Amino acid sequence: RKEVEQDPGPFNVPEGATVAFNCTYSNSASQSFFWYRQDCRKEPKLLMSVYSSGNEDGRFTAQLNRASQYISLLIRDSKLSDSATYLCVVNRGDYKLSFGAGTTVTVRA
Amino acid sequence: NAGVTQTPKFRILKIGQSMTLQCAQDMNHNYMYWYRQDPGMGLKLIYYSVGAGITDKGEVPNGYNVSRSTTEDFPLRLELAAPSQTSVYFCASSYSTLRGSYEQYFGPGTRLTVT
């Protein structure tokens, strides 16, 4: 079983829509969690960290469910510029991260 | 701050050639990492370093070598390039936050093709 699993999508949504997707992780000892954004042919960039039950940053909301071992990301009022691949990333408590393969989101005009 | 820089951006190698991918960071981060990313796949850890003079293998180290003589630099060496090493290579650095997590910051990547 992969350490971090994501629905690859793609999620095709119109501008202004809400889109949400999940990620599951296998190691119950995982300590901290992140969402990274990766644009086509670019490096991953940190979108937000998820430390406790969840947090919000503008139009982005991340939720963590430790009991079921999943993390979700919700994007409200989608913009064209939100089109990207979103990587779910898990830290087991050491200095190494485990990356999911990513969920592709395409926002259309 | 330039952050994490990588050179070259693109490279085409012939089978059996060698090359060094350069990575540097100016954030004084102790931890540095090399990943490869194949199409549609997640990032796979090749090598990592917890400080100058200390390196260790990740998930996919075969065919690669690293060194860390300074905090800033973490070059990746490919010996005897093979087509299976065609990939995008990302270097990253991190530090331990107050919460004890290790947010990583990435360089722009090197696209390598081996033919």
Side-chain angles (χ1 to χ4, degrees), chain A residues 32 34 36 38 41-44 46 49 51 87 91 93-97 99-101, chain B residues 31 33 35 37 40-43 45 48 50 90 99 101-104 106-108 111:
Chain A
S32 53
F34 310 93
Y36 277 70
Q38 186 172 25
R41 302 174 76 84
K42 298 284 190 180
E43 74 272 26
L46 181 64
S49 305
Y51 290 112
L87 307 179
N91 180 325
D94 61 12
Y95 36 79
K96 290 181 277 184
L97 303 181
F99 289 79
Chain B
Y31 306 94
Y33 314 81
Y35 294 92
Q37 186 177 37
M41 307 290 284
L43 288 106
L45 183 64
Y48 64 96
V50 302
F90 290 105
R99 292 176 184 263
S101 70
Y102 295 83
E103 300 167 354
Q104 291 184 10
F106 285 81
R111 291 187 175 275

Side-chain angles (χ1 to χ4, degrees), chain B:
Chain B
N1 279 358
V4 181
T5 56
Q6 290 183 239
T7 55
K9 285 188 168 47
F10 305 93
R11 184 72 186 269
I12 298 174
L13 281 182
K14 293 192 187 303
I15 294 171
Q17 287 185 320
S18 301
M19 76 165 293
T20 299
L21 281 66
Q22 301 292 345
C23 174
Q25 53 95 6
D26 61 2
M27 298 175 283
N28 203 32
H29 287 172
N30 282 336
Y31 306 94
M32 295 188 75
Y33 314 81
W34 274 106
Y35 294 92
R36 60 177 287 171
Q37 186 177 37
D38 299 321
M41 307 290 284
L43 288 106
K44 293 188 177 168
L45 183 64
I46 305 171
Y47 269 96
Y48 64 96
S49 169
V50 302
I54 306 168
T55 62
D56 208 345
K57 296 177 181 178
E59 304 168 68
V60 290
N62 291 345
Y64 307 95
N65 272 303
V66 294
S67 59
R68 184 104 182 265
S69 55
T70 66
T71 299
E72 294 78 20
D73 299 299
F74 191 40
L76 177 72
R77 177 85 178 156
L78 277 73
E79 305 282 2
L80 298 174
S84 60
Q85 293 178 303
T86 293
S87 191
V88 181
Y89 291 84
F90 290 105
C91 178
S93 70
S94 76
Y95 67 104
S96 177
T97 69
L98 289 175
R99 292 176 184 263
S101 70
Y102 295 83
E103 300 167 354
Q104 291 184 10
Y105 297 87
F106 285 81
T110 294
R111 291 187 175 275
L112 176 67
T113 301
V114 182
T115 61

Side-chain angles (χ1 to χ4, degrees), chain A residues 18-39:
Chain A
T18 295
V19 60
F21 41 89
N22 291 341
C23 150
T24 58
Y25 60 95
S26 60
N27 189 341
S28 59
S30 298
Q31 298 287 318
S32 53
F33 309 88
F34 310 93
W35 284 104
Y36 277 70
R37 172 198 170 118
Q38 186 172 25
D39 293 304

Side-chain angles (χ1 to χ4, degrees), chain A residues 60-98:
Chain A
F60 296 83
T61 301
Q63 296 277 339
L64 169 63
N65 185 315
R66 285 189 185 271
S68 301
Q69 293 182 211
Y70 77 82
I71 313 134
S72 63
L73 183 66
L74 181 145
I75 308 173
R76 281 186 299 278
D77 188 24
S78 300
K79 313 289 185 195
L80 294 175
S81 57
D82 294 334
S83 297
T85 297
Y86 292 86
L87 307 179
C88 176
V89 184
V90 174
N91 180 325
R92 299 163 298 175
D94 61 12
Y95 36 79
K96 290 181 277 184
L97 303 181
S98 295

